[in-house]
Amino acid sequence: MAKIVAGIAVSHVPAIGVAMDKGMTGTPYWEPLFKGYGPAREWLAKLAPDVAIIVYNDHACAFSLEIIPTFLIGVADKFPIADEGFGPRPVPVVNGHPALAWHLAESLILDEFDMTIANEMPVDHGLTVPLSVTCGKPDAWPFPVIPLCVNVVQYPPPTGARCYKLGMAIRRAVEKFGQDLRVVIYGTGGMSHQLQGERAGLINRRFDTEFLDGLTRDPVALSKISHTEYMREAGSEGVEMVMWHVMRGALGDDVAEVYRHYHVPASNTAAGLMILENRSAA
Ligand code: DHB
Ligand code: FE
């Protein structure tokens, strides 16, 4: 059977991708951030998962105000890199895993999570930056990826609690897949940041630290944080953190934090990275 062996939570700041693409990771501004990514890359290369599910949000690239899927799964065999206004990032195309993706789509929908199904979809920085952060600059990504989008761009986004339950349903689905696959799941976005309005530039280290602590200690309580509290404490874009609950819900009760990196500033955000191993799958 397939199993989810680990979860990775990681911010997706577009400027992090630009720094990598333009060879600026050793500059005084970026060096402390990228130094903290090294151990995560080593850990992931050693784990060598067979497939990754990447929970992320599209930023009005694949779909915009015309269509707003609350939850979406990509079932294609390839996902092109989106052009976000400066041409597509110079990173490899993202290969999918249609067999597991269709299995997930069927299982999730029959388990009462009404997923939108994407047969074709470009992927933006929300997905490619977490891949770059954790895999570096390979000629081809080291594993196929199932993109799973969550709407956090247009009101109303799903609640953290709903996201956590989706994660639990993903775990049930993965464990019903006949093939032996070691699956890793990414929760992306966050941490505290606000890109517009009077509080643009907001960072809340206390909230972020408590959030990271809570992911291991008490994820169910954490998943109940309201949208208003995210807005107040973590800024308008801090609500992206609901996606981390999907990742956490997909891991079992017995989870160990094996790595954490938190750095301010990275563009307008507090950039966080956390690795959780799923001991119940060991
Ligand atoms: C920034 C952060 C984001 O999450 C995003 O999607 C775009 C920009 C930023 O900090 O610049
Ligand atoms: Fe974002």
Side-chain angles (χ1 to χ4, degrees):
M1 102 184 172
K3 58 187 180 188
I4 298 184
V5 292
I8 303 174
V10 57
S11 307
H12 66 211
V13 188
I16 294 175
V18 176
M20 288 186 66
D21 300 343
K22 296 202 183 295
M24 292 165 3
T25 57
T27 61
Y29 181 86
W30 289 112
E31 210 241 1
L33 175 71
F34 281 93
K35 223 165 139 184
Y37 289 154
R41 286 183 191 165
E42 282 165 29
W43 170 88
L44 186 60
K46 197 155 156 239
L47 183 74
D50 298 306
V51 52
I53 299 167
I54 301 191
V55 181
Y56 79 106
N57 67 290
D58 176 79
H59 298 76
C61 290
F63 22 85
S64 187
L65 288 178
E66 304 85 2
I67 300 175
I68 305 170
T70 302
F71 294 124
L72 171 148
I73 183 162
V75 298
D77 58 0
K78 279 191 192 336
F79 301 92
I81 309 302
D83 182 346
E84 301 185 54
F86 301 93
R89 285 191 63 210
V91 294
V93 70
V94 174
N95 290 318
H97 195 301
L100 180 58
W102 274 111
H103 167 82
L104 286 176
E106 181 183 10
S107 177
L108 290 174
I109 291 167
L110 298 182
D111 204 3
E112 304 179 354
F113 284 87
D114 307 315
M115 310 298 292
T116 297
I117 294 171
N119 287 300
E120 269 181 48
M121 180 175 71
V123 288
D124 74 8
H125 70 268
L127 183 136
T128 63
V129 168
L131 271 179
S132 296
V133 163
T134 51
C135 303
K137 292 176 82 165
D139 293 334
W141 299 117
F143 37 73
V145 170
I146 299 174
L148 198 149
C149 302
V150 177
N151 166 44
V152 291
V153 171
Q154 288 297 326
Y155 186 84
T159 62
R162 184 70 177 152
C163 288
Y164 187 81
K165 287 179 193 148
L166 173 63
M168 292 171 77
I170 290 172
R171 182 175 180 217
R172 287 193 290 274
V174 166
E175 291 179 354
K176 280 188 291 174
F177 192 65
Q179 213 180 320
D180 282 341
L181 291 177
R182 289 161 60 255
V183 181
V184 73
I185 182 163
Y186 287 61
T188 70
M191 301 194 77
S192 55
H193 65 303
Q194 173 149 342
L195 302 177
Q196 70 252 304
E198 282 178 23
R199 299 201 310 159
L202 176 142
I203 302 284
N204 186 342
R205 182 182 286 268
R206 180 194 50 76
F207 179 86
D208 289 340
T209 306
E210 284 173 14
F211 191 89
L212 289 167
D213 292 344
L215 267 187
T216 318
R217 246 198 348 245
D218 197 355
V220 175
L222 200 71
S223 73
K224 293 184 180 148
I225 295 173
S226 68
H227 291 146
T228 312
E229 196 175 343
Y230 281 113
M231 294 277 284
R232 191 176 58 232
E233 299 295 325
S236 51
E237 277 69 41
V239 79
E240 287 181 343
M241 275 189 269
V242 296
M243 296 183 288
W244 293 27
H245 298 305
V246 182
M247 176 278 288
R248 184 59 187 88
L251 306 176
D253 292 335
D254 189 6
V255 155
E257 175 181 338
V258 296
Y259 187 65
R260 181 191 294 205
H261 177 50
Y262 181 82
H263 179 77
V264 179
S267 188
N268 302 289
T269 88
L273 184 152
M274 181 176 246
I275 296 174
L276 298 173
E277 281 181 359
N278 193 13
R279 296 281 151 93
S280 22

